[in-house]
Coordinates of all heavy atoms in Angstrom, one line a residue:
M1 N 8.4 7.9 -14.1 CA 7.2 7.7 -13.2 C 7.6 8.3 -11.8 O 8.7 8.0 -11.3 CB 6.9 6.3 -13.0 CG 5.6 6.0 -12.3 SD 5.0 4.3 -12.5 CE 5.9 3.5 -11.2
S2 N 6.7 9.1 -11.2 CA 7.1 9.7 -9.9 C 6.9 8.7 -8.8 O 6.2 7.6 -9.0 CB 6.2 10.9 -9.7 OG 4.8 10.5 -9.3
D3 N 7.3 9.0 -7.6 CA 7.2 8.1 -6.5 C 5.7 8.0 -6.0 O 5.4 7.0 -5.3 CB 8.0 8.6 -5.3 CG 9.5 8.4 -5.6 OD1 9.9 7.6 -6.5 OD2 10.3 9.1 -4.9
T4 N 4.9 8.9 -6.4 CA 3.5 8.9 -6.0 C 2.6 8.3 -7.1 O 1.4 8.3 -6.9 CB 3.0 10.3 -5.6 OG1 3.2 11.1 -6.7 CG2 3.8 10.8 -4.4
A5 N 3.1 7.9 -8.2 CA 2.3 7.4 -9.3 C 1.8 6.0 -9.0 O 2.6 5.2 -8.4 CB 3.0 7.5 -10.6
V6 N 0.6 5.7 -9.4 CA 0.1 4.3 -9.3 C 0.5 3.6 -10.6 O 0.4 4.1 -11.7 CB -1.4 4.3 -9.1 CG1 -1.9 2.9 -9.2 CG2 -1.8 5.0 -7.9
K7 N 1.0 2.4 -10.4 CA 1.3 1.5 -11.6 C 0.4 0.3 -11.6 O 0.3 -0.4 -10.6 CB 2.8 1.1 -11.4 CG 3.3 0.2 -12.5 CD 4.7 -0.2 -12.3 CE 5.2 -1.2 -13.3 NZ 6.6 -1.7 -13.0
I8 N -0.2 0.1 -12.7 CA -1.1 -1.0 -12.9 C -0.6 -1.9 -14.0 O -0.4 -1.4 -15.1 CB -2.6 -0.6 -13.2 CG1 -3.1 0.4 -12.1 CG2 -3.5 -1.8 -13.4 CD1 -4.4 1.0 -12.4
T9 N -0.3 -3.1 -13.6 CA 0.2 -4.1 -14.6 C -0.8 -5.2 -14.8 O -1.2 -5.8 -13.9 CB 1.6 -4.7 -14.1 OG1 2.5 -3.6 -13.8 CG2 2.2 -5.6 -15.1
T10 N -1.1 -5.5 -16.1 CA -2.0 -6.5 -16.4 C -1.2 -7.8 -16.5 O -0.2 -7.9 -17.3 CB -2.6 -6.3 -17.8 OG1 -3.3 -5.0 -17.7 CG2 -3.7 -7.4 -18.1
R11 N -1.6 -8.8 -15.7 CA -0.9 -10.1 -15.7 C -1.6 -11.0 -16.8 O -2.8 -11.0 -16.9 CB -1.0 -10.8 -14.4 CG -0.4 -10.0 -13.2 CD 1.1 -10.1 -13.3 NE 1.7 -9.5 -12.1 CZ 2.9 -9.2 -11.9 NH1 3.8 -9.4 -12.9 NH2 3.3 -8.7 -10.8
P12 N -0.8 -11.7 -17.6 CA -1.4 -12.5 -18.6 C -2.4 -13.5 -18.1 O -2.1 -14.3 -17.2 CB -0.2 -13.2 -19.2 CG 1.0 -12.4 -18.8 CD 0.7 -11.8 -17.5
N13 N -3.6 -13.4 -18.5 CA -4.7 -14.3 -18.0 C -4.8 -14.3 -16.5 O -5.1 -15.4 -15.9 CB -4.5 -15.7 -18.6 CG -4.6 -15.7 -20.1 OD1 -5.4 -15.0 -20.7 ND2 -3.7 -16.4 -20.7
G14 N -4.5 -13.2 -15.9 CA -4.6 -13.1 -14.5 C -5.0 -11.7 -14.0 O -5.7 -11.0 -14.7
P15 N -4.6 -11.4 -12.8 CA -5.1 -10.2 -12.2 C -4.4 -8.9 -12.7 O -3.5 -8.9 -13.5 CB -4.8 -10.4 -10.7 CG -3.5 -11.2 -10.8 CD -3.7 -12.1 -11.9
F16 N -5.0 -7.8 -12.2 CA -4.3 -6.5 -12.3 C -3.4 -6.3 -11.1 O -3.9 -6.4 -10.0 CB -5.3 -5.3 -12.4 CG -6.1 -5.3 -13.6 CD1 -7.5 -5.5 -13.6 CD2 -5.6 -5.0 -14.8 CE1 -8.3 -5.4 -14.7 CE2 -6.3 -4.9 -16.0 CZ -7.7 -5.2 -15.9
R17 N -2.1 -6.1 -11.3 CA -1.2 -5.8 -10.2 C -1.2 -4.3 -10.0 O -0.8 -3.6 -11.0 CB 0.2 -6.4 -10.5 CG 1.1 -6.3 -9.4 CD 0.9 -7.2 -8.3 NE 1.9 -7.2 -7.2 CZ 1.7 -7.6 -6.0 NH1 0.5 -8.2 -5.7 NH2 2.6 -7.5 -5.1
V18 N -1.5 -3.8 -8.9 CA -1.6 -2.4 -8.6 C -0.6 -2.0 -7.5 O -0.6 -2.6 -6.4 CB -3.0 -2.0 -8.1 CG1 -3.1 -0.5 -8.0 CG2 -4.1 -2.5 -9.1
E19 N 0.3 -1.1 -7.9 CA 1.4 -0.7 -7.0 C 1.3 0.8 -6.9 O 1.0 1.5 -7.8 CB 2.8 -1.1 -7.6 CG 2.9 -2.6 -7.9 CD 4.2 -2.9 -8.7 OE1 5.3 -2.8 -8.2 OE2 4.0 -3.1 -9.9
G20 N 1.6 1.2 -5.7 CA 1.7 2.7 -5.4 C 0.8 3.0 -4.3 O 0.2 2.2 -3.6
P21 N 0.7 4.3 -4.0 CA -0.2 4.8 -2.9 C -1.6 4.7 -3.4 O -2.1 5.6 -4.1 CB 0.3 6.2 -2.7 CG 0.9 6.6 -4.0 CD 1.4 5.4 -4.6
I22 N -2.3 3.6 -3.0 CA -3.7 3.5 -3.5 C -4.7 3.4 -2.3 O -4.3 3.0 -1.2 CB -3.9 2.2 -4.3 CG1 -3.5 0.9 -3.5 CG2 -3.1 2.3 -5.6 CD1 -3.9 -0.4 -4.2
T23 N -5.9 3.8 -2.5 CA -7.0 3.7 -1.6 C -8.0 2.9 -2.3 O -8.4 3.1 -3.4 CB -7.6 5.1 -1.3 OG1 -6.6 5.9 -0.7 CG2 -8.7 5.0 -0.3
L24 N -8.4 1.8 -1.6 CA -9.4 0.9 -2.2 C -10.7 0.9 -1.4 O -10.7 0.7 -0.2 CB -8.8 -0.6 -2.2 CG -9.5 -1.7 -2.9 CD1 -9.8 -1.3 -4.4 CD2 -8.8 -3.0 -2.8
I25 N -11.8 1.2 -2.1 CA -13.1 1.4 -1.4 C -14.0 0.3 -1.9 O -14.1 0.0 -3.1 CB -13.7 2.8 -1.8 CG1 -12.7 3.9 -1.6 CG2 -15.0 3.0 -1.1 CD1 -12.3 4.1 -0.1
N26 N -14.7 -0.4 -0.9 CA -15.6 -1.4 -1.3 C -16.9 -0.9 -1.7 O -17.2 0.3 -1.7 CB -15.7 -2.5 -0.2 CG -16.4 -1.9 1.1 OD1 -17.2 -0.9 1.0 ND2 -16.3 -2.6 2.2
V27 N -17.9 -1.8 -2.1 CA -19.2 -1.3 -2.6 C -20.0 -0.6 -1.5 O -20.9 0.1 -1.9 CB -20.0 -2.5 -3.2 CG1 -19.3 -3.1 -4.4 CG2 -20.2 -3.5 -2.1
D28 N -19.7 -0.8 -0.3 CA -20.4 -0.1 0.8 C -19.8 1.3 1.1 O -20.2 2.0 2.0 CB -20.4 -0.9 2.1 CG -21.1 -2.2 1.9 OD1 -22.1 -2.2 1.1 OD2 -20.7 -3.2 2.4
G29 N -18.7 1.7 0.3 CA -18.1 2.9 0.5 C -17.0 2.9 1.6 O -16.5 4.0 2.0
Q30 N -16.7 1.8 2.2 CA -15.7 1.7 3.2 C -14.4 1.3 2.6 O -14.2 0.5 1.7 CB -16.1 0.6 4.2 CG -17.5 0.9 4.9 CD -17.9 -0.3 5.8 OE1 -17.6 -1.4 5.5 NE2 -18.7 0.0 6.8
E31 N -13.4 1.9 3.2 CA -12.0 1.7 2.8 C -11.5 0.4 3.3 O -11.7 0.0 4.4 CB -11.1 2.9 3.3 CG -9.7 2.7 2.8 CD -8.8 3.9 3.2 OE1 -9.4 5.0 3.6 OE2 -7.6 3.8 3.2
I32 N -10.9 -0.4 2.4 CA -10.3 -1.6 2.7 C -8.9 -1.4 3.2 O -8.1 -0.6 2.6 CB -10.2 -2.5 1.4 CG1 -11.7 -2.9 1.0 CG2 -9.5 -3.8 1.7 CD1 -11.8 -3.6 -0.3
D33 N -8.6 -1.9 4.4 CA -7.3 -1.7 5.0 C -6.2 -2.4 4.2 O -6.2 -3.6 4.1 CB -7.3 -2.2 6.4 CG -6.0 -1.9 7.2 OD1 -5.2 -1.1 6.7 OD2 -5.9 -2.5 8.3
L34 N -5.3 -1.5 3.7 CA -4.2 -2.1 2.9 C -2.9 -1.8 3.7 O -1.8 -1.8 3.1 CB -4.1 -1.4 1.5 CG -5.3 -1.7 0.6 CD1 -5.2 -1.0 -0.7 CD2 -5.5 -3.2 0.4
T35 N -2.9 -1.6 5.0 CA -1.8 -1.4 5.8 C -0.7 -2.5 5.5 O -1.0 -3.7 5.6 CB -2.1 -1.3 7.3 OG1 -3.1 -0.3 7.5 CG2 -0.9 -1.0 8.1
G36 N 0.5 -2.0 5.2 CA 1.6 -3.0 5.0 C 1.6 -3.6 3.6 O 2.4 -4.5 3.4
K37 N 0.7 -3.2 2.8 CA 0.6 -3.8 1.4 C 1.0 -2.7 0.4 O 0.1 -1.9 0.0 CB -0.8 -4.3 1.1 CG -1.1 -5.5 2.0 CD -2.5 -6.0 1.7 CE -2.9 -7.2 2.6 NZ -4.2 -7.7 2.3
P38 N 2.2 -2.7 -0.1 CA 2.6 -1.7 -1.1 C 2.0 -2.0 -2.4 O 2.0 -1.1 -3.3 CB 4.1 -1.7 -1.1 CG 4.4 -3.1 -0.6 CD 3.3 -3.5 0.4
A39 N 1.5 -3.2 -2.6 CA 0.9 -3.6 -3.9 C -0.1 -4.6 -3.6 O -0.1 -5.4 -2.7 CB 2.0 -4.2 -4.8
V40 N -1.1 -4.7 -4.5 CA -2.2 -5.7 -4.4 C -2.5 -6.2 -5.8 O -2.2 -5.5 -6.8 CB -3.5 -5.1 -3.8 CG1 -3.3 -4.7 -2.4 CG2 -4.1 -4.0 -4.6
S41 N -3.1 -7.4 -5.9 CA -3.5 -8.0 -7.1 C -5.0 -8.1 -7.1 O -5.6 -8.7 -6.2 CB -2.9 -9.4 -7.3 OG -1.5 -9.3 -7.5
L42 N -5.6 -7.4 -8.0 CA -7.1 -7.3 -8.1 C -7.6 -8.3 -9.1 O -7.1 -8.4 -10.3 CB -7.6 -5.9 -8.5 CG -7.1 -4.8 -7.5 CD1 -7.6 -3.5 -8.0 CD2 -7.7 -5.1 -6.1
C43 N -8.6 -9.1 -8.7 CA -9.2 -10.2 -9.5 C -9.8 -9.6 -10.8 O -10.5 -8.6 -10.8 CB -10.2 -10.9 -8.7 SG -11.1 -12.2 -9.7
R44 N -9.5 -10.2 -11.9 CA -10.0 -9.8 -13.2 C -10.9 -10.9 -13.8 O -11.6 -10.6 -14.7 CB -8.8 -9.5 -14.1 CG -9.2 -8.9 -15.4 CD -8.0 -8.2 -16.1 NE -6.9 -9.1 -16.4 CZ -6.4 -9.3 -17.6 NH1 -6.8 -8.6 -18.6 NH2 -5.4 -10.1 -17.8
C45 N -10.8 -12.1 -13.2 CA -11.6 -13.2 -13.8 C -13.0 -13.3 -13.2 O -13.9 -13.9 -13.7 CB -10.9 -14.5 -13.6 SG -10.9 -15.2 -11.9
G46 N -13.2 -12.7 -12.0 CA -14.5 -12.8 -11.3 C -14.7 -14.0 -10.4 O -15.7 -14.2 -9.8
A47 N -13.7 -14.9 -10.4 CA -13.9 -16.2 -9.7 C -13.2 -16.2 -8.3 O -13.4 -17.2 -7.6 CB -13.4 -17.3 -10.5
S48 N -12.5 -15.2 -7.9 CA -11.9 -15.2 -6.6 C -12.9 -15.3 -5.5 O -13.9 -14.7 -5.5 CB -11.0 -14.0 -6.4 OG -10.5 -13.9 -5.1
V49 N -12.6 -16.0 -4.4 CA -13.5 -16.0 -3.3 C -13.0 -15.0 -2.3 O -13.6 -14.9 -1.2 CB -13.5 -17.4 -2.6 CG1 -14.1 -18.5 -3.5 CG2 -12.1 -17.9 -2.1
N50 N -12.0 -14.3 -2.6 CA -11.4 -13.2 -1.8 C -11.5 -11.9 -2.5 O -10.5 -11.1 -2.4 CB -10.0 -13.5 -1.3 CG -9.5 -12.6 -0.3 OD1 -10.2 -12.1 0.6 ND2 -8.2 -12.4 -0.3
K51 N -12.6 -11.6 -3.2 CA -12.7 -10.4 -4.0 C -12.6 -9.2 -3.1 O -13.1 -9.2 -1.9 CB -14.0 -10.3 -4.8 CG -14.1 -11.4 -5.8 CD -15.4 -11.2 -6.5 CE -15.7 -12.3 -7.5 NZ -16.2 -13.5 -6.9
P52 N -12.0 -8.1 -3.5 CA -11.6 -7.8 -4.9 C -10.2 -8.4 -5.2 O -9.7 -8.1 -6.3 CB -11.6 -6.3 -4.9 CG -11.2 -5.9 -3.6 CD -11.8 -6.9 -2.6
F53 N -9.6 -9.1 -4.3 CA -8.2 -9.6 -4.5 C -8.2 -10.9 -5.2 O -9.1 -11.7 -5.1 CB -7.5 -9.7 -3.1 CG -7.6 -8.5 -2.3 CD1 -8.4 -8.4 -1.2 CD2 -6.8 -7.4 -2.7 CE1 -8.4 -7.2 -0.5 CE2 -6.8 -6.2 -1.9 CZ -7.6 -6.1 -0.8
C54 N -7.2 -11.1 -6.0 CA -6.9 -12.3 -6.7 C -6.5 -13.4 -5.6 O -5.7 -13.1 -4.7 CB -5.8 -12.1 -7.7 SG -5.2 -13.7 -8.4
D55 N -7.0 -14.6 -5.8 CA -6.6 -15.7 -4.9 C -6.0 -16.9 -5.7 O -5.8 -17.9 -5.1 CB -7.8 -16.1 -4.0 CG -8.9 -16.8 -4.8 OD1 -8.8 -16.9 -6.0 OD2 -9.8 -17.3 -4.1
G56 N -5.8 -16.6 -6.9 CA -5.1 -17.7 -7.8 C -6.1 -18.5 -8.5 O -5.7 -19.4 -9.3
T57 N -7.4 -18.4 -8.2 CA -8.4 -19.2 -8.9 C -8.4 -19.1 -10.4 O -8.8 -20.0 -11.1 CB -9.8 -18.8 -8.3 OG1 -9.8 -19.0 -6.9 CG2 -10.9 -19.7 -8.9
H58 N -8.0 -18.0 -10.9 CA -8.0 -17.8 -12.4 C -7.2 -18.9 -13.1 O -7.6 -19.3 -14.2 CB -7.4 -16.4 -12.7 CG -6.0 -16.2 -12.3 ND1 -5.6 -15.7 -11.1 CD2 -4.8 -16.5 -12.9 CE1 -4.3 -15.7 -11.0 NE2 -3.8 -16.2 -12.1
S59 N -6.2 -19.4 -12.5 CA -5.4 -20.4 -13.2 C -6.1 -21.8 -13.1 O -6.0 -22.6 -14.0 CB -4.0 -20.5 -12.6 OG -4.0 -20.8 -11.2
K60 N -6.9 -22.0 -12.0 CA -7.6 -23.2 -11.9 C -8.8 -23.3 -12.8 O -9.2 -24.4 -13.2 CB -8.1 -23.4 -10.4 CG -7.0 -23.5 -9.4 CD -7.6 -23.5 -8.0 CE -6.5 -23.4 -6.9 NZ -7.0 -23.0 -5.6
I61 N -9.4 -22.2 -13.2 CA -10.6 -22.2 -14.0 C -10.2 -22.0 -15.5 O -11.0 -21.9 -16.4 CB -11.6 -21.2 -13.6 CG1 -11.1 -19.7 -13.8 CG2 -12.1 -21.4 -12.2 CD1 -12.1 -18.7 -13.6
G62 N -8.9 -21.8 -15.8 CA -8.5 -21.5 -17.2 C -8.9 -20.2 -17.7 O -9.2 -20.1 -18.9
F63 N -8.9 -19.2 -16.9 CA -9.3 -17.9 -17.3 C -8.4 -17.4 -18.4 O -7.2 -17.5 -18.4 CB -9.2 -16.9 -16.1 CG -9.5 -15.4 -16.5 CD1 -10.7 -15.0 -16.9 CD2 -8.4 -14.5 -16.4 CE1 -10.9 -13.7 -17.3 CE2 -8.6 -13.2 -16.8 CZ -9.8 -12.8 -17.2
Q64 N -9.1 -16.9 -19.5 CA -8.4 -16.2 -20.6 C -8.9 -14.8 -20.7 O -10.1 -14.6 -20.9 CB -8.6 -17.0 -21.9 CG -7.9 -18.3 -22.0 CD -7.9 -18.8 -23.4 OE1 -8.8 -18.7 -24.2 NE2 -6.7 -19.4 -23.8
A65 N -8.0 -13.9 -20.6 CA -8.3 -12.5 -20.7 C -8.8 -12.2 -22.1 O -8.5 -12.9 -23.0 CB -7.1 -11.6 -20.3
A66 N -9.6 -11.1 -22.2 CA -10.2 -10.8 -23.5 C -9.2 -10.7 -24.6 O -9.4 -11.2 -25.7 CB -11.0 -9.5 -23.3
E67 N -8.1 -10.0 -24.3 CA -7.1 -9.8 -25.4 C -6.5 -11.1 -25.8 O -6.2 -11.3 -27.0 CB -6.1 -8.8 -25.0 CG -5.1 -9.2 -23.9 CD -5.7 -9.0 -22.5 OE1 -6.9 -8.7 -22.3 OE2 -4.9 -9.0 -21.5
A68 N -6.4 -12.0 -24.9 CA -5.8 -13.3 -25.3 C -6.8 -14.1 -26.1 O -6.5 -14.8 -27.1 CB -5.4 -14.1 -24.1
A69 N -8.1 -14.0 -25.7 CA -9.1 -14.8 -26.4 C -9.3 -14.2 -27.9 O -9.4 -15.0 -28.8 CB -10.5 -14.7 -25.7
V70 N -9.2 -12.9 -28.0 CA -9.3 -12.3 -29.4 C -8.1 -12.7 -30.2 O -8.3 -13.1 -31.4 CB -9.4 -10.8 -29.3 CG1 -9.3 -10.1 -30.6 CG2 -10.7 -10.3 -28.6
A71 N -7.0 -12.7 -29.6 CA -5.8 -13.1 -30.4 C -5.9 -14.5 -30.9 O -5.5 -14.9 -32.0 CB -4.5 -12.9 -29.6
A72 N -6.4 -15.4 -30.0 CA -6.5 -16.8 -30.3 C -7.5 -17.1 -31.5 O -7.3 -17.9 -32.3 CB -6.9 -17.6 -29.1
E73 N -8.6 -16.3 -31.5 CA -9.6 -16.5 -32.5 C -9.1 -16.0 -33.9 O -9.6 -16.4 -34.9 CB -10.9 -15.7 -32.1 CG -11.6 -16.4 -31.0 CD -12.9 -15.7 -30.6 OE1 -13.4 -14.8 -31.4 OE2 -13.4 -16.0 -29.6
Q74 N -8.2 -15.0 -33.9 CA -7.7 -14.5 -35.1 C -6.7 -15.4 -35.8 O -6.3 -15.1 -37.0 CB -7.0 -13.1 -34.9 CG -8.0 -12.1 -34.4 CD -7.4 -10.7 -34.1 OE1 -6.2 -10.7 -33.8 NE2 -8.2 -9.7 -34.0
K75 N -6.2 -16.4 -35.1 CA -5.2 -17.3 -35.7 C -5.9 -18.2 -36.7 O -7.0 -18.6 -36.7 CB -4.6 -18.2 -34.6 CG -3.6 -17.3 -33.8 CD -3.0 -18.2 -32.7 CE -2.1 -17.3 -31.8 NZ -1.4 -18.0 -30.8
Ligands
FES101 S1 -7.7 -12.9 -11.5 FE1 -6.9 -14.3 -10.0 S2 -8.6 -15.1 -9.1 FE2 -9.5 -13.8 -10.5

């Protein structure tokens, strides 16, 4: 992986951890200031009150990511 590549890691039943030189644009087309943040965690459950960032609410609501839910149903 090069130094300029973006790395996205899926956290189990949690956010996407995004590392690398990223630009994050909100729905209004404005850039979100990520100064001093070499990595961010983006909410995947939809319940964060600090969207688009994860605030840990996923663990309080028992969020299960799709792949985990599918695996559980196959058992
Ligand atoms: S993934 Fe963490 S609050 Fe949504």
Side-chain angles (χ1 to χ4, degrees):
M1 190 167 84
S2 74
D3 289 342
T4 59
V6 174
K7 178 181 176 185
I8 302 173
T9 306
T10 305
R11 300 288 189 190
N13 299 317
F16 291 114
R17 184 75 176 160
V18 183
E19 303 169 74
I22 60 172
T23 301
L24 188 57
I25 308 295
N26 70 17
V27 294
D28 298 324
Q30 297 175 331
E31 184 173 342
I32 296 173
D33 183 11
L34 297 177
T35 304
K37 295 182 180 178
V40 296
S41 293
L42 299 179
C43 178
R44 189 161 59 123
C45 74
S48 173
V49 296
N50 190 31
K51 293 182 187 80
F53 305 106
C54 169
D55 67 356
T57 301
H58 62 270
S59 60
K60 296 176 188 163
I61 65 171
F63 172 67
Q64 286 195 321
E67 67 274 18
V70 170
E73 288 182 14
Q74 292 175 344
K75 289 182 181 177

